Amino acid sequence: MKKGAKKLERRAELLKYIDNDSVLIPMVDRLLFLEHKLEELEKLPLLRINPNNPEQQKATPAAKLYKEYLQQYVNVFK
């Protein structure tokens, strides 16, 4: 299944869940946007590891964005 078809299927699923309530449709679109961003960030490394000392690890900018988007995603559900 192509990405576009998958996204449309997911949107239809969520719209069915909210019974096509026009007030909630922008939230569904926001949720889909955040799901897409989270999927993209999951493909990136979230930790930078010092090759000379593997115990030294640092979060990458992608990890910080992931955390922010995940919080927004959770807030949409609330």
Side-chain angles (χ1 to χ4, degrees):
M1 182 181 301
K2 292 184 180 181
K3 274 187 180 180
K6 182 180 176 183
K7 186 176 179 180
L8 287 175
E9 185 177 303
R10 175 71 172 144
R11 188 173 195 274
E13 174 188 353
L14 292 172
L15 290 176
K16 182 179 175 185
Y17 182 75
I18 64 165
D19 200 27
N20 287 313
D21 186 339
S22 61
V23 173
L24 297 176
I25 289 175
M27 295 305 281
V28 166
D29 292 333
R30 180 70 151 157
L31 187 74
L32 290 170
F33 170 79
L34 291 168
E35 283 180 356
H36 175 72
K37 289 296 183 182
L38 288 168
E39 287 172 2
E40 292 297 313
L41 288 171
E42 286 173 354
K43 297 174 187 174
L44 301 174
L46 300 179
L47 285 177
R48 192 175 302 135
I49 301 172
N50 182 343
N52 298 326
N53 184 358
E55 291 180 9
Q56 288 182 332
Q57 301 176 1
K58 185 176 181 180
T60 64
K64 293 173 185 175
L65 276 174
Y66 187 89
K67 181 180 174 182
E68 290 175 23
Y69 285 145
L70 187 59
Q71 184 60 52
Q72 291 178 28
Y73 185 82
V74 168
N75 289 339
V76 169
F77 274 105
K78 288 181 180 181

